[in-house]
């Protein structure tokens, strides 16, 4: 029998084969986050052009009390479940306030990366010695299903940082519909959406002057070289970002700067690139309030409240299950 890491590697290779054989070619942005990719994403979040993280942090810092009240956090004991918790910086603002208000809750960060969970736990245990923290490593839905069976506590699920933006419309509907299926009547979902705004502001966020986003995209080719024995020459590809204001979609591409053939050893296959042929790398969907409302409705939820930053760049939207 194959080990799970061998199975993961096969899925990765198969996804790459599928994407590079398609027209137009694509690679999935979920593979961006190896160690170097995660480091580069941290660097992106510090960039002056990348307003998203700062806008959402502002919401957490300035609207803490209202969020606490909207969560009904002083009423019954609940599980605060964070999907893709990362380093938990934003959530720590809520946790700090909730603890000071003597709210009764368990904090349950769920992440696919054991390493990320270890770092988070160590930090939170130091910062909040009285916090009950129970990490869950693995796939969101499998973990949520078993969690539902383990405890009767009300669930408040956080999905922050505009992570939903990296899903296509169909994936977003599938994702929330699956979540809806593991939620009960009084459970809540709190989601971070990046809002539509001046297209130049959005474009700059995905095409920064220092070229960190370009490195972040190109890093996936490095990963293919390292893990699948590919022979991409990174100088032969360049990053291109575009924002489509009607769809509200920022997309990034790697453009093949010349006609070339790339061989991928673990697939035993070559892939041809035309000069200036794009590989579609990532969508970062920007929403407006009507889109958020109809997405909620399509997936069996209703919007209870919206929390904005002062510039209305970003919204954390609180959804309730429609029974
Ligand atoms: C993780 N995700 C929300 C980021 C975004 O804004 O779409 C990923 C990213 N891609 C380029 N810059 C940041």
């Amino acid at each position: 029998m194959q080990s799970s890491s061998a199975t993961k590697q096969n899925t990765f290779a198969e996804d790459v084969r599928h994407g590079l054989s398609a027209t137009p070619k694509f690679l999935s942005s979920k593979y961006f986050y190896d160690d170097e990719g995660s480091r580069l994403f941290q660097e992106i979040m510090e960039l002056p052009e990348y307003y998203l993280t700062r806008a959402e942090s502002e919401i957490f810092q300035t609207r803490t009390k209202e969020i606490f009240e909207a969560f009904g956090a002083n009423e019954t004991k609940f599980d605060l479940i964070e999907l893709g918790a990362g380093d938990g910086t934003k959530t720590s603002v809520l946790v700090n306030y909730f603890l000071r208000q003597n709210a009764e809750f368990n904090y349950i960060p769920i992440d696919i990366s054991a390493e990320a969970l270890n770092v988070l736990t160590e930090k939170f245990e130091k910062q909040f010695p009285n916090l009950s923290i129970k990490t869950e490593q693995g796939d969101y839905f499998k973990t949520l299903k078993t969690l539902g069976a383990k405890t009767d506590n009300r669930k408040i699920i956080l999905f922050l940082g505009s992570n939903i933006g990296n899903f296509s419309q169909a994936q977003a509907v599938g994702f929330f519909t699956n979540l809806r299926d593991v939620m009960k009547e009084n459970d809540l979902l709190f989601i971070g959406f990046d809002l539509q705004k001046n297209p130049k502001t959005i474009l700059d966020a995905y095409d920064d002057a220092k070229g960190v986003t370009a490195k972040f995209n190109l890093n996936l080719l490095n990963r293919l070289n390292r893990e699948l024995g590919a022979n991409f020459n990174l100088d032969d590809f360049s990053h291109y970002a575009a924002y489509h204001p009607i769809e509200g979609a920022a997309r990034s591409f790697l453009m093949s700067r010349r006609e070339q053939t790339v061989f991928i050893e673990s697939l035993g296959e070559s892939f041809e690139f035309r000069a200036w042929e794009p590989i579609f790398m990532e969508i970062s969907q920007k929403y407006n309030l009507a889109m958020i409302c109809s997405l909620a409705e399509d997936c069996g939820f209703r919007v209870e409240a919206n929390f904005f930053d002062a510039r209305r760049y970003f919204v954390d939207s609180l959804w309730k299950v429609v029974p």
Side-chain angles (χ1 to χ4, degrees):
M1 210 173 89
Q2 271 194 333
S3 73
S4 84
S5 79
T7 316
K8 250 191 221 156
Q9 205 59 3
N10 280 348
T11 315
F12 177 35
E14 275 318 309
D15 284 353
V16 169
R17 186 206 303 276
H18 177 60
L20 295 184
S21 311
T23 312
K25 291 183 171 58
F26 67 91
L27 290 169
S28 168
S29 62
K30 73 176 179 199
Y31 293 118
F32 281 175
Y33 302 91
D34 61 353
D35 287 349
E36 179 62 0
S38 303
R39 195 199 60 74
L40 286 165
F41 183 53
Q42 292 293 326
E43 206 178 320
I44 287 176
M45 290 193 286
E46 303 285 321
L47 291 170
E49 295 95 334
Y50 196 76
Y51 57 83
L52 289 82
T53 314
R54 281 184 297 277
E56 194 175 37
S57 291
E58 180 191 318
I59 297 170
F60 276 57
Q61 269 151 12
T62 57
R63 310 293 308 277
T64 334
K65 183 167 180 279
E66 288 103 314
I67 295 172
F68 176 79
E69 281 161 9
F71 281 6
N74 52 351
E75 291 160 18
T76 49
K77 181 164 185 176
F78 61 96
D79 289 337
L80 185 66
I81 302 173
E82 182 163 12
L83 307 181
D87 69 358
T89 307
K90 281 168 274 191
T91 317
S92 71
V93 176
L94 290 189
V95 165
N96 186 30
Y97 186 84
F98 290 8
L99 287 174
R100 280 196 284 125
Q101 302 303 311
N102 295 319
E104 262 197 282
F105 66 103
N106 301 306
Y107 174 52
I108 308 180
I110 303 182
D111 209 292
I112 202 90
S113 154
E115 173 58 22
L117 287 173
N118 286 340
V119 174
L120 176 74
T121 312
E122 205 174 298
K123 193 166 112 182
F124 273 47
E125 278 176 349
K126 231 184 246 159
Q127 208 177 343
F128 309 114
N130 295 328
L131 175 69
S132 152
I133 171 164
K134 302 175 179 176
T135 59
E136 292 282 338
Q137 195 235 328
D139 176 77
Y140 298 154
F141 297 114
K142 281 189 205 136
T143 323
L144 272 173
K145 261 190 198 142
T146 54
L147 270 183
K150 266 190 232 164
T151 129
D152 274 341
N153 292 340
R154 189 163 70 92
K155 289 197 268 299
I156 302 179
I157 302 175
L158 312 178
F159 190 52
L160 307 175
S162 183
N163 284 325
I164 193 62
N166 300 131
F167 291 12
S168 68
Q169 172 68 16
Q171 285 169 333
V173 170
F175 178 74
F176 288 132
T177 309
N178 281 338
L179 266 186
R180 169 70 185 78
D181 289 345
V182 296
M183 289 173 71
K184 300 204 184 99
E185 203 176 323
N186 290 318
D187 295 346
L188 295 169
L189 182 55
F190 195 55
I191 312 148
F193 291 95
D194 192 20
L195 292 172
Q196 294 177 3
K197 58 184 67 62
N198 184 337
K200 290 191 182 117
T201 308
I202 294 173
L203 191 56
D204 286 351
Y206 294 91
D207 198 14
D208 63 280
K210 252 177 90 183
V212 184
T213 311
K215 273 197 203 151
F216 178 63
N217 276 274
L218 285 162
N219 177 59
L220 181 49
L221 301 188
N222 250 336
R223 184 174 182 187
L224 300 188
N225 287 349
R226 211 180 43 246
E227 293 184 24
L228 303 181
N231 65 352
F232 283 98
N233 179 352
L234 270 55
D235 292 335
D236 286 335
F237 289 85
S238 52
H239 166 68
Y240 177 71
Y243 177 66
H244 193 304
I246 293 175
E247 297 171 31
R251 291 190 181 83
S252 69
F253 304 88
L254 287 178
M255 308 295 302
S256 170
R257 302 179 60 84
R258 60 181 183 86
E259 189 181 312
Q260 54 185 314
T261 305
V262 172
F263 181 66
I264 303 186
E265 204 178 284
S266 68
L267 293 175
E269 217 172 296
S270 294
F271 298 88
E272 309 287 336
F273 292 82
R274 297 187 314 274
W276 299 110
E277 182 174 352
I279 313 174
F280 168 49
M281 303 295 285
E282 183 180 51
I283 182 165
S284 296
Q285 180 66 47
K286 309 304 165 193
Y287 283 83
N288 59 41
L289 293 179
M291 288 163 78
I292 293 172
C293 248
S294 60
L295 182 58
E297 278 169 20
D298 290 348
C299 305
F301 294 92
R302 109 173 149 251
V303 177
E304 275 284 290
N306 283 322
F307 300 89
F308 302 91
D309 59 310
R311 293 187 295 188
R312 289 204 161 222
Y313 272 15
F314 202 93
V315 65
D316 282 299
S317 189
L318 184 65
W319 293 9
K320 202 163 190 264
V321 168
V322 176

